[in-house]
Amino acid sequence: MFLLVKLLSATNTFTLVFYRAAVQIVLSLSGLLREGVNDPLIGPPGVRSLLVLRAGFGAAAVCAWFYGCRALPLSDAVTLQFATPAFAAATAVFLVGERWTPPDMCGAIVCLLGVALIARPTWMFGTAEHGDDTAVGGEEANDDSTP
């Protein structure tokens, strides 16, 4: 999805969000109707206002995500996207009083470090110059002149 959004960066963000939502609605409604869920469009009466609120926040998040994929280098956008669970867990401590145990803290730190090391965001590692690849299979890895 990240790469597709980046490749379609000339397309308006809201157009991309519209087409993603159209596909998601078709897939979701077909699954809900197949399972026989009552009120698949608007949900149960007691939680409709919460569903509308969640839909609004979800739409804003998808718009921000697609815009980030278009405007930022892909590695930075991926880092931000996959770091959100750690930030959500930390925010839940303050907003809803979730317990924050040492394993939770370690998990969040490992999550952030793993995402940063895999995606290598430009704000953390800088931009790679041509010929500056030190990864396995890069120019320095294949240099036979060193003993």
Side-chain angles (χ1 to χ4, degrees), residues 82-102:
F82 287 110
T84 54
F87 289 116
T91 304
V93 172
F94 300 107
L95 291 182
V96 293
E98 287 283 327
R99 284 182 357 128
W100 187 254
T101 62

Side-chain angles (χ1 to χ4, degrees), residues 5 14 25 28 47 58 60 70 79 104 117 123-124 130-131 135-136 143 145:
V5 171
F14 295 110
I25 286 172
S28 297
V47 295
R70 289 182 55 220
T79 302
D104 294 331
L117 292 175
W123 59 267
M124 196 173 196
H130 180 67
V136 175
D143 187 11
S145 63

Side-chain angles (χ1 to χ4, degrees), residues 2-143:
F2 293 109
L3 183 59
L4 184 61
V5 171
K6 192 68 171 176
L7 291 174
L8 296 172
S9 62
T11 307
N12 186 335
T13 300
F14 295 110
T15 303
L16 293 174
V17 171
F18 172 79
Y19 285 117
R20 180 188 184 272
V23 169
Q24 187 176 6
I25 286 172
V26 169
L27 294 175
S28 297
L29 281 179
S30 64
L32 289 171
L33 292 173
R34 186 179 65 238
E35 293 295 322
V37 173
N38 295 333
D39 295 325
L41 288 176
I42 55 177
V47 295
R48 288 182 182 157
S49 60
L50 292 175
L51 290 174
V52 169
L53 187 65
R54 183 185 187 279
F57 279 114
V62 169
C63 287
W65 175 48
F66 278 16
Y67 179 76
C69 286
R70 289 182 55 220
L72 296 171
L74 193 55
S75 61
D76 291 355
V78 168
T79 302
L80 289 173
Q81 176 67 20
F82 287 110
T84 54
F87 289 116
T91 304
V93 172
F94 300 107
L95 291 182
V96 293
E98 287 283 327
R99 284 182 357 128
W100 187 254
T101 62
D104 294 331
M105 193 179 310
C106 289
I109 291 169
V110 168
C111 171
L112 293 173
L113 288 174
V115 168
L117 292 175
I118 296 295
R120 298 184 53 85
T122 58
W123 59 267
M124 196 173 196
F125 293 98
T127 57
E129 307 251 346
H130 180 67
D132 195 25
D133 187 12
T134 58
V136 175
E139 289 179 24
E140 292 182 17
N142 292 330
D143 187 11

